[in-house]
Amino acid sequence: MITLKYVDKRFPTSNALLYIHNLTFHAGEVVGVLGENGSGKTTLLKAIMGLGELTNGEILIDGKPAVEQYDRMAFVTEEGSFPPGLTPLQYAEFLAAFFPRFDIDFYMKMLQLYELPPNRKIRTFSKGQKMKLEVSAGLAKRADILLMDEPFTGSDLFSRRTSIKQLLAHLEGDETVLITTHLVDEIENVIDRVIVLHQGLIKADVYVDDLREAGTSLEEIMVEARKSPYWRS
């Protein structure tokens, strides 16, 4: 379980900010974190990952700080967490040394699926290839907590659908998964819950099943959330 209380996070070199009074993510939830550029989506994931200090508040993973739970966490980001001078095979060796659960066989299958050359320097990859490598490595960590920041950026429609299918196929059901994306239509049938951020504040927090029962779409929720100071199911 991830708990955030009175979280205030700001960056002195940018306009990025985040303020969350109280928020909890439970084991087994797949959560879509939606919002326009600059709304705080990436800031939220980085805060949970423990990247940088909070201005105020606390974030705990099963009652402990993120730094004590890194072996259970994976952060998939379009910025890339890989050393660009390595090859995918060398990157796998690097990850296996730090993540005891790292599944090298699954990782190699993902490289083959995405047609990624295992012995070529990562720095020579296209943006889309780098994102596919990042997704492959993130899933191969077999993490309990999977934070995915725009994981389908730079991918064509086929690759996005393949990534989503792979994500679902290899979850055991008790992971906590947070996905930030602009591809609302493609994740609506994947996520259990949606968080809508606007200017660093939560404007909506609702379960997708409740939306379906009410006959409401994610697009409608996003539009409504921007109109009101706070909206919650």
Side-chain angles (χ1 to χ4, degrees), residues 14-18 34-43 150 182 197-201:
S14 73
N15 294 323
L17 59 88
L18 184 71
L34 309 179
E36 59 197 5
N37 288 337
S39 61
K41 302 189 303 296
T42 299
T43 303
E150 298 288 351
H182 292 91
L197 291 171
H198 182 61
Q199 296 182 345
L201 301 173

Side-chain angles (χ1 to χ4, degrees), residues 81-202:
S81 58
F82 40 74
L86 300 183
T87 67
L89 282 181
Q90 291 169 334
Y91 185 37
E93 294 174 0
F94 171 81
L95 291 172
F98 290 95
F99 294 91
R101 304 182 189 184
F102 187 75
D103 188 337
I104 183 66
D105 292 334
F106 173 75
Y107 177 79
M108 295 304 297
K109 289 179 182 178
M110 290 294 289
L111 294 186
Q112 185 176 17
L113 175 68
Y114 285 135
E115 299 180 345
L116 297 175
N119 293 302
R120 206 173 87 196
K121 297 290 186 183
I122 298 171
R123 63 168 172 260
T124 68
F125 285 11
S126 68
K127 182 177 181 180
Q129 286 177 314
K130 289 177 180 177
M131 196 66 245
K132 291 173 184 176
L133 178 65
E134 185 80 346
V135 170
S136 300
L139 293 177
K141 291 175 183 175
R142 300 302 192 192
D144 296 327
I145 297 169
L146 184 57
L147 309 177
M148 308 184 77
D149 188 21
E150 298 288 351
F152 314 119
T153 298
S155 300
D156 57 28
L157 180 60
F158 172 76
S159 295
R160 291 198 300 266
R161 288 177 176 170
T162 299
S163 296
I164 293 171
K165 287 172 64 178
Q166 287 295 323
L167 171 63
L168 291 175
H170 295 281
L171 292 179
E172 296 183 0
D174 56 354
E175 300 91 344
T176 304
V177 183
L178 273 62
I179 307 174
T180 73
T181 183
H182 292 91
L183 304 172
V184 177
D185 291 340
E186 293 183 21
I187 68 163
E188 189 164 4
N189 293 323
V190 175
I191 60 177
D192 305 306
R193 177 181 173 191
V194 61
I195 302 289
V196 180
L197 291 171
H198 182 61
Q199 296 182 345
L201 301 173
I202 295 177

